[in-house]
């Protein structure tokens, strides 16, 4: 039976295998009707742009040269003047020169992968791609080859969804990501936040050379709101050795300050990378926090997935009856290199800062509901929601009572503070 899945797995090992183009990218056939509808909607804008060009003696269109990930030249049209000049691309989509979704125009693939794609399927360059979508929302769950493979294996519904998600991400996070400043760290709401990719964040955690325990926190909309209403918590966050930007709210805030965040450094996406790095460096982890049995269950599941992972110990986070000193002793006796504390904000941050001098581990992180996810106690949001930065909607649906204040009240307050009061730039309190 013919294998109908497009694959990039076997690249250089069996290039001769790809002797015919036998895969079909399902989706571009809906380009023409969608382009036509959009062109009809945008007709007044097209007319204005055309009249303006004629009145100023300019060509109606100009073309900009781009290269797609397969190294092919693409000439993208724009109106010479007027409004929404880039919408001229709809003419080329309608004419079938370029697709809504296709081969990305934002990066290049290795020659092996290019050969592999070109020999397996006919696919045009695309305005949108799964890679660009993940780049815009800072997701780091797949590399660019995996994303391309997933995109090209999608069906028509996936294609339509990719158009919708890309459009939503552009509305939320803006189109011109390249005009934003890049910086190694930035000041958001008065806090010094690292602007790391996921790999850099993991390197910071596993490769610290300091003599004392390094403390890392993930700051998100909830922690920023807490820090503004509670100066003690603000000071606690300020005393960490590293603050990582977690979630789409931080992405919006950074954007408002003129910066592009390199990655969405949330603990849940980070854990698989952290586990792999710990295995490589022969480092061990200790899980402290969550309801009784949850940290243990998460540890068991992770050890099953990563048999070489060394989880030095676990302890639940409801230890009213047990002395903190005993817990610290058990963490230190385990000889762990990395401690993950999951007791929710601000408890976990407070605990870590109060006891950092007694801890012997290299690094300690506050990780919120991480063990709940990895134990399977709470399910993670579907990828499509994370792709548009809306994971919080899923969490709200799962725990409406617990999370009502945090999301339904907290999110609009955060947006008000960011966009109306402009606190993001000044960090005023
Ligand atoms: N928790 C705990 N001890 C406490 C209070 C909470 O261990 O005294 C745990 C709780 O069981 C949950 C985590 O802390 O696993 C908090 O998760 P939350 O959803 O608040 O974290 P988020 O990821 O949203 O910051």
């Amino acid at each position: 039976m013919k294998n109908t899945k497009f694959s990039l797995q076997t690249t250089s090992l069996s290039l001769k295998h790809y002797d015919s183009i036998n895969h079909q990218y399902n989706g571009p056939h809906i380009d023409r009707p969608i382009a036509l509808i959009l062109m009809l909607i945008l007709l007044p804008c097209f007319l204005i742009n055309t009249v303006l060009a004629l009145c100023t003696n300019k060509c109606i269109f100009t073309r900009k040269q781009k290269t797609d990930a397969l190294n092919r030249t693409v000439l993208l049209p724009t109106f010479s003047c007027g409004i929404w000049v880039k919408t001229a691309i709809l003419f080329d989509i309608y004419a079938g020169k370029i697709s809504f979704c296709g081969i990305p125009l934002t990066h290049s693939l290795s020659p092996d992968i290019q050969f592999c794609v070109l020999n397996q399927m006919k696919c045009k360059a695309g305005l949108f791609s799964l890679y660009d979508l993940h780049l815009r929302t800072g997701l780091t769950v797949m590399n660019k080859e995996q994303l391309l493979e997933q995109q090209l294996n999608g069906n028509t519904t996936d294609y339509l969804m990719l158009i919708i998600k890309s459009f939503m991400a552009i509305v939320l996070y803006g189109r011109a990501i390249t005009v934003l400043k890049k910086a190694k760290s930035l000041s958001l709401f008065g806090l010094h936040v690292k602007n790391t990719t996921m790999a850099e964040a993991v390197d910071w955690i596993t490769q610290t050379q300091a003599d004392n325990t390094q403390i890392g926190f993930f700051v998100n909309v909830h922690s920023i709101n807490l820090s503004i209403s509670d100066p003690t918590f603000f000071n606690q966050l300020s005393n960490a050795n590293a603050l990582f930007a977690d979630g789409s709210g931080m992405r919006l805030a950074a954007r408002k300050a003129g910066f592009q965040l390199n990655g969405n450094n949330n603990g849940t996406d980070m854990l698989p990378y952290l586990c792999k790095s710990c295995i490589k460096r022969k480092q061990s982890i200790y899980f402290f926090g969550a309801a009784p049995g949850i940290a243990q269950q998460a540890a068991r599941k992770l050890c099953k997935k990563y048999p070489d992972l060394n989880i030095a110990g676990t302890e639940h986070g409801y230890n009213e009856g047990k002395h903190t000193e005993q817990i610290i002793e058990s963490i230190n006796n385990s000889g762990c290199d990395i401690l993950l504390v999951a007791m929710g904000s601000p408890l976990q941050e407070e605990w870590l800062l109060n006891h950092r001098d007694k801890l012997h581990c290299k690094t300690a992180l506050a990780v919120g509901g991480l063990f709940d996810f990895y134990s399977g106690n709470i399910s993670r949001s579907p990828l499509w929601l994370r792709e548009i930065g809306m994971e919080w909607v899923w969490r709200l649906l799962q725990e409406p009572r617990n999370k009502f204040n945090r999301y339904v009240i907290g999110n609009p307050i955060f947006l008000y503070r960011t966009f109306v009061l402009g606190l993001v730039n000044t960090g005023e309190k």
Side-chain angles (χ1 to χ4, degrees), residues 105-383:
L105 290 158
T106 44
H107 66 280
S108 188
L109 291 162
S110 71
D112 271 4
I113 300 282
Q114 286 178 354
F115 184 89
C116 183
V117 178
L118 287 166
N119 278 281
Q120 284 190 80
M121 73 188 325
K122 238 183 175 166
C123 185
K124 284 176 270 191
L127 208 53
F128 308 132
S129 71
L130 208 49
Y131 171 80
D132 292 330
L133 178 65
H134 282 223
L135 189 71
R136 190 162 276 113
T137 44
L139 273 179
T140 35
V141 285
M142 282 183 258
N143 63 34
K144 55 187 175 188
E145 284 80 20
Q146 289 170 323
L147 288 167
L148 184 64
E149 201 174 277
Q150 180 169 323
Q151 180 189 331
L152 297 185
N153 278 319
N155 56 26
T156 309
T157 315
D158 297 327
Y159 189 88
L160 189 62
M161 284 300 289
L162 182 55
I163 298 177
I164 296 169
K165 286 184 289 187
S166 302
F167 187 74
M168 287 181 73
I170 288 168
V171 171
L172 284 171
Y173 308 109
R175 176 99 188 96
I177 48 177
T178 44
V179 302
L180 293 171
K181 286 176 269 179
K182 299 243 171 188
K184 284 217 167 298
S185 66
L186 44 145
S187 173
L188 297 176
F189 301 95
L191 294 166
H192 202 64
V193 178
K194 277 186 178 292
N195 188 8
T196 44
T197 60
M198 193 62 98
E200 286 164 350
V202 171
D203 282 350
W204 182 87
I205 296 162
T206 53
Q207 292 183 41
T208 174
Q209 300 293 330
D211 294 333
N212 58 344
T213 302
Q214 296 291 291
I215 306 283
F217 296 148
F218 298 92
V219 279
N220 52 31
V221 169
H222 177 53
S223 32
I224 291 294
N225 279 343
L226 269 180
S227 81
I228 292 177
S229 55
D230 178 2
T232 313
F233 186 60
F234 176 85
N235 288 335
Q236 284 165 349
L237 291 182
S238 311
N239 281 326
N241 300 99
L243 295 178
F244 299 107
D246 161 10
S248 44
M250 296 304 285
R251 204 162 198 79
L252 284 177
R255 225 189 127 70
K256 173 77 170 65
F259 290 93
Q260 169 69 24
L261 280 185
N262 288 327
N264 179 354
N265 293 165
N266 66 81
T268 321
D269 282 343
M270 185 186 280
L271 193 60
Y273 297 97
L274 186 60
C275 290
K276 285 178 203 158
S277 183
C278 283
I279 292 168
K280 197 172 142 200
R281 296 176 201 288
K282 298 196 177 353
Q283 294 185 344
S284 59
I285 322 184
Y286 193 103
F287 287 0
F288 171 39
I294 298 294
Q296 244 172 333
Q297 211 173 322
R300 223 176 295 129
K301 285 203 171 172
L302 281 165
C303 286
K304 211 168 168 192
K305 188 160 182 206
Y306 305 102
D308 294 328
L309 181 66
N310 181 0
I311 297 188
T314 62
E315 178 67 60
H316 70 82
Y318 293 82
N319 288 288
E320 294 89 358
K322 204 169 176 180
H323 284 299
T324 305
E325 298 306 323
Q326 254 176 286
I327 295 168
I328 295 172
E329 202 181 314
S330 109
I331 293 169
N332 287 341
N333 286 344
S334 77
C336 67
D337 298 285
I338 295 159
L339 168 66
L340 303 186
V341 180
M343 295 197 289
S345 297
L347 197 61
Q348 54 194 9
E349 288 82 5
E350 194 183 352
W351 193 94
L352 275 171
L353 289 170
N354 285 345
H355 305 296
R356 75 194 302 179
D357 294 338
K358 293 177 224 153
L359 292 169
H360 297 167
C361 53
K362 289 191 177 77
T363 322
L365 303 172
V367 292
L370 185 76
F371 306 152
D372 292 313
F373 292 124
Y374 280 90
S375 64
N377 188 33
I378 293 182
S379 72
R380 188 88 199 270
S381 127
L383 188 61

